[in-house]
């Protein structure tokens, strides 16, 4: 049984646990500018501190430690350290030429740690999701208030950058591709277009049921209006990405578990795919910090489980291994959401 088949089988019998925040954990190491510089970047003219994706090249030991910390508390799936791994996002630091290497090495690191834990306990296989962030440019919104028609990036530029990222992640050995924190669905469509192009070139089936690499999509509701940054409701977002046979669709970031619940309910009632949720540790305080403890967050997430809304659970900003440990513990008491495809009569 290959890893895709194993993942599909497991998803039918249990709620899968995703890891927590990478950035929150990196902050605990109090890294300095020198930690972000490889020998190749010793004389790089721009500051690099804060470019967390680079740590996969300069401090792989830190990234491995973080992956291990989440696997030790029960995560089934760990995300690669590639949230800003496109050449577009890396342009801010002048490191766009390293995009492929960042993705390849990040996937390789996560693969090694996941395999290490699977070898120790074959009854609990671990998986690697290649994290694909939204980039720092949107295809639907102008960054210039005086020129609403202006776009800082084109669809083709996005698709090309995402294609390079996907190739690096696949070559590094990921099991899943996860496009996350989607604030602009047009960016997500460029991601899906790039994935389809790579799959076609590599003869990878698009449908995971046919042996393809599973694709997860996770959108972000940015405020109390219940819309993404580019203005879509949860249901509209779902419809916009449903042309691809996804492994899962879900929501992450921006909101805490309590605030995410009504939008998750919409997905649960309408999605013909598995549903994922990885909220923040509550809402940020006035200093931008997340105060919600592990027990409080897990108690709020339990409402998702009681109502049968989710198949995949994890944490986003502010979450730590302590949060994931409590979420994993509670999830064991519940069955995963059951998908009913009313349109076809299938279950």
């Amino acid at each position: 049984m290959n890893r895709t088949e194993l993942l599909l089988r497991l998803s039918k019998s249990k709620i899968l646990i995703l890891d927590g925040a990478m950035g929150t954990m990196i902050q605990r190491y109090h890294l300095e500018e020198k930690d972000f510089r490889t020998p190749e970047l010793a004389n790089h003219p721009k500051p690099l501190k804060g470019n967390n994706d680079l740590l996969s090249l300069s401090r792989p030991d830190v990234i491995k430690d973080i992956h291990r910390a989440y696997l030790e508390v029960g995560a089934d799936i760990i995300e690669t350290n590639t949230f800003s791994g496109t050449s577009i996002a890396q342009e801010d630091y002048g490191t766009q030429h390293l995009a492929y290497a960042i993705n390849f090495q990040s996937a390789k690191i996560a693969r090694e740690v996941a395999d290490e834990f699977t070898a120790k306990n074959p009854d609990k296989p671990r998986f690697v999701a290649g994290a694909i962030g939204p980039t720092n440019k949107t295809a639907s919104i102008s960054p210039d208030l005086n020129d609403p028609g202006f776009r800082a990036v084109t669809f083709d530029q996005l698709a090309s950058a995402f294609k390079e990222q996907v190739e690096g992640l696949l070559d590094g050995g990921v099991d899943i591709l996860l496009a996350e924190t989607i604030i602009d669905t047009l960016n997500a469509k460029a991601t899906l277009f790039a994935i389809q192009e790579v799959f076609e070139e590599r003869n990878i089936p698009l449908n995971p049921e046919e042996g393809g690499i599973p694709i997860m999509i996770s959108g972000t509701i940015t405020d109390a209006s219940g819309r993404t940054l580019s203005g879509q409701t949860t249901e509209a977002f779902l419809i916009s990405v449903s042309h691809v046979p996804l492994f899962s669709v879900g929501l992450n970031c921006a909101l805490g578990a309590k605030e995410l619940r009504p939008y998750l309910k919409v997905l649960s009632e309408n999605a013909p795919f598995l549903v994922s949720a990885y909220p923040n540790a509550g809402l940020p305080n006035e200093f931008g910090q997340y105060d919600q403890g592990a027990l409080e967050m897990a108690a709020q997430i339990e409402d998702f489980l009681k109502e049968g809304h989710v198949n995949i659970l994890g944490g986003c900003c502010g979450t730590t291994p302590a949060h994931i440990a409590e979420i994993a513990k509670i999830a064991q008491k519940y069955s995963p959401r059951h998908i009913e495809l009313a349109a076809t009569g299938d279950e």
Side-chain angles (χ1 to χ4, degrees):
M1 188 178 294
N2 67 31
R3 288 201 292 264
T4 294
E5 291 168 340
L6 193 53
L7 182 65
L8 292 174
R9 191 182 73 175
L10 280 174
S11 71
K12 291 177 172 64
S13 62
K14 64 173 284 187
I15 291 165
L16 296 168
I17 303 299
L18 197 62
D19 61 6
M22 176 63 75
T24 300
M25 293 298 288
I26 287 172
Q27 286 172 15
R28 294 183 170 190
Y29 287 81
H30 304 291
L31 301 175
E32 300 298 333
E33 178 69 28
K34 60 182 171 58
D35 292 299
F36 293 82
R37 291 182 179 263
T38 61
E40 179 195 357
L41 295 170
N43 299 311
H44 190 72
K46 289 190 174 185
L48 296 175
K49 185 178 177 181
N51 186 356
N52 289 343
D53 298 46
L54 268 183
L55 294 171
S56 296
L57 305 180
S58 62
R59 290 295 306 273
D61 57 313
V62 169
I63 304 306
K64 279 188 172 183
D65 284 350
I66 294 169
H67 286 323
R68 284 195 186 98
Y70 283 121
L71 290 169
E72 280 166 358
V73 296
D76 298 298
I77 304 168
I78 52 172
E79 292 185 59
T80 55
N81 178 39
T82 52
F83 184 79
S84 300
T86 55
S87 55
I88 290 171
Q90 288 295 316
E91 275 176 26
D92 283 356
Y93 295 94
T95 49
Q96 58 268 35
H97 62 291
L98 294 175
Y100 177 86
I102 285 170
N103 287 281
F104 177 79
Q105 290 300 332
S106 295
K108 193 164 172 285
I109 287 166
R111 175 83 274 142
E112 287 170 8
V113 182
D115 289 349
E116 174 190 316
F117 275 76
T118 299
K120 282 194 283 192
N121 183 4
D123 292 334
K124 187 176 172 61
R126 312 302 178 102
F127 302 90
V128 176
I132 303 170
T135 83
N136 48 1
K137 295 177 181 177
T138 68
S140 297
I141 304 170
S142 171
D144 184 353
L145 288 173
N146 298 314
D147 186 1
F150 174 73
R151 294 293 181 268
V153 70
T154 66
F155 184 91
D156 287 347
Q157 287 170 330
L158 285 167
S160 176
F162 285 130
K163 185 178 181 184
E164 180 183 33
Q165 181 170 32
V166 167
E167 287 173 336
L169 292 170
L170 290 177
D171 291 346
V174 301
D175 303 306
I176 302 161
L177 292 170
L178 168 55
E180 62 178 353
T181 321
I182 292 160
I183 53 175
D184 181 358
T185 308
L186 195 52
N187 284 40
K189 282 183 167 289
T191 311
L192 291 171
F193 179 84
I195 291 171
Q196 286 174 277
E197 202 167 56
V198 174
F199 280 16
E200 194 170 318
E201 288 171 3
R202 298 187 178 207
N203 293 315
I204 299 171
L206 194 56
N207 193 332
E209 298 282 353
E210 295 169 6
I213 303 290
I215 302 166
M216 296 173 67
I217 287 276
S218 185
T220 295
I221 301 299
T222 53
D223 56 36
S225 72
R227 294 174 181 268
T228 63
L229 188 66
S230 56
Q232 280 196 312
T233 62
T234 308
E235 194 167 10
F237 165 68
L238 170 64
I239 291 166
S240 297
V241 297
S242 290
H243 59 291
V244 171
L246 303 172
F247 175 60
S248 71
V249 66
L251 298 170
N252 75 292
C253 205
L255 303 176
K258 185 169 65 177
E259 295 80 16
L260 199 66
R261 185 178 163 195
Y263 313 116
L264 202 58
K265 185 172 185 287
V266 171
L267 279 186
S268 177
E269 289 172 351
N270 294 281
F273 317 114
L274 302 186
V275 168
S276 69
Y278 49 115
N280 292 345
L283 297 175
N285 61 26
E286 59 271 29
F287 301 108
Q289 303 297 311
Y290 294 88
D291 301 323
Q292 191 172 74
L295 290 172
E296 184 185 356
M297 183 178 181
Q300 291 185 10
I301 276 180
E302 191 163 13
D303 288 337
F304 304 168
L305 300 169
K306 287 175 180 172
E307 294 164 2
H309 289 333
V310 291
N311 303 91
I312 303 165
L313 269 177
C316 204
C317 303
T319 58
T320 65
H323 291 82
I324 300 305
E326 292 301 326
I327 291 168
K329 201 184 299 178
I330 282 182
Q332 286 178 351
K333 300 190 294 185
Y334 295 89
S335 297
R337 165 181 167 270
H338 180 62
I339 306 172
E340 291 188 12
L341 301 181
T344 63
D346 295 335
E347 291 191 0

